[in-house]
């Protein structure tokens, strides 16, 4: 089944680009309906518009005064996603915490990519955290989004070595290459209806 995706992103959007590339190459059966960013100048918006995909800047500022500002913002995000009739939501470098308002609208249909082997190094600057910890291996994880930050069940992970001379930049780059492989792959498994979940444990149903 072709899945209609909504992408939430805050930055340059290389993961978004990898998803588009996979769609164009025929390895991901999906269509990106809309890209939403909380940053006006995010490169991801330029990328989406250059592919004739609506790129919407949704400013968090007007929501900041409200009592439940995160929830109110997510309500607005959810509305845009519903208007574009998306089946699933992809967090591709989205630097905001997603609340239950959005999670309830798309149960088990929100996917995040994180640049570490979760549960190690959740939150911001995961690559820097791994270096500072002195870890010898890190990597990336695609997981279902639940209410705990970076706590949802893992779908796929890929490990990369941490080398003695690594900087945050060199490690991030090595991890990013793997991100670009595993994110479209996980989404394709979802599109094929091959993801099965038992509590926290996600397994891949093998096609016959
Ligand atoms: C990626 O490394 C992604 O894993 C990370 O932000 C980067 C976005 O790059 N996401 C997080 O840290 C989420 N907590 P991109 O904009 O080029 O896809």
């Amino acid at each position: 089944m072709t899945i209609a995706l909504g992408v939430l992103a805050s930055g340059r959007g290389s993961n978004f680009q990898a998803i588009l590339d996979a769609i164009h190459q025929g390895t991901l059966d999906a269509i990106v309906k809309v890209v939403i960013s909380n940053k006006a100048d995010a490169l991801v918006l330029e990328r989406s518009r250059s592919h004739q995909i609506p790129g919407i800047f949704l400013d968090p500022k007007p929501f900041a005064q409200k009592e439940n500002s995160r929830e109110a913002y997510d309500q607005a995000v959810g509305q845009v996603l519903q208007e574009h009739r998306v089946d699933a939501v992809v967090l591709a470098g989205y630097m905001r915490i997603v609340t239950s308002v959005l999670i309830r609208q798309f149960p088990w249909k929100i996917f995040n990519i994180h640049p570490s082997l979760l549960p190690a190094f959740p939150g911001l600057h995961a690559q820097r955290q791994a270096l500072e910890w002195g870890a010898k291996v890190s990597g990336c994880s695609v997981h279902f989004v639940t209410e705990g930050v970076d706590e949802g069940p893992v779908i796929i992970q890929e490990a990369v070595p941490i080398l003695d001379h690594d900087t945050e930049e060199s490690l991030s780059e090595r991890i990013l290459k793997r991100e670009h492989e595993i994110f479209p792959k996980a989404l394709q498994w979802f599109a094929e209806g091959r993801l099965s979940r038992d509590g926290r444990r996600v397994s891949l149903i093998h096609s016959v």
Side-chain angles (χ1 to χ4, degrees), residues 3-203:
I3 46 165
L5 300 175
V7 173
L8 308 186
S10 306
R12 79 198 141 176
S14 72
N15 275 289
F16 165 63
Q17 188 66 55
I19 288 166
L20 283 186
D21 292 348
I23 292 172
H24 293 143
Q25 284 157 15
T27 53
L28 173 56
D29 189 6
I31 174 169
V32 178
K33 291 291 190 93
V34 64
V35 175
I36 303 172
S37 183
N38 59 317
K39 299 280 180 197
D41 56 355
L43 185 59
V44 71
L45 291 176
E46 277 175 43
R47 282 190 207 258
S48 65
R49 291 167 191 158
S50 75
H51 287 90
Q52 285 75 50
I53 296 166
I56 296 173
F57 164 53
L58 203 53
D59 191 354
K61 260 200 226 105
F63 298 90
Q65 337 303 345
K66 304 195 179 181
E67 202 179 324
N68 295 309
S69 57
R70 279 186 205 284
E71 284 77 7
Y73 184 79
D74 278 359
Q75 189 74 42
V77 171
Q79 201 169 322
V80 175
L81 293 169
Q82 300 284 3
E83 279 164 16
H84 286 84
R85 303 195 179 284
V86 314
D87 303 314
V89 182
V90 174
L91 310 188
Y94 187 55
M95 298 314 203
R96 281 181 69 89
I97 293 168
V98 170
T99 68
S100 59
V101 167
L102 207 55
I103 293 167
R104 264 192 258 116
Q105 276 187 51
F106 295 96
W108 304 106
K109 288 176 177 173
I110 309 182
F111 303 88
N112 183 43
I113 180 103
H114 183 77
S116 75
L117 294 176
L118 290 169
F121 316 124
L124 293 176
H125 309 300
Q127 303 92 333
R128 192 189 304 168
Q129 291 185 56
L131 282 172
E132 285 173 357
W133 187 261
K136 299 296 184 197
V137 174
S138 192
C140 45
S141 310
V142 178
H143 65 93
F144 286 109
V145 173
T146 55
E147 285 186 41
V149 177
D150 299 328
E151 283 180 4
V154 170
I155 298 166
I156 183 172
Q157 295 183 304
E158 197 75 50
V160 306
I162 297 180
L163 308 177
D164 290 347
H165 59 262
D166 262 334
T167 61
E168 191 176 348
E169 289 68 35
S170 64
L171 177 59
S172 300
E173 203 177 308
R174 191 174 310 118
I175 293 174
L176 196 63
K177 286 202 183 103
R178 299 280 93 82
E179 293 185 36
H180 295 165
E181 294 165 6
I182 66 170
F183 212 2
K185 194 188 266 191
L187 295 171
Q188 177 60 15
W189 288 341
F190 173 73
E192 291 171 350
R194 291 178 62 197
L195 294 179
S196 151
R197 189 182 54 83
D198 179 10
R200 288 202 55 87
R201 299 191 69 180
V202 178
S203 52

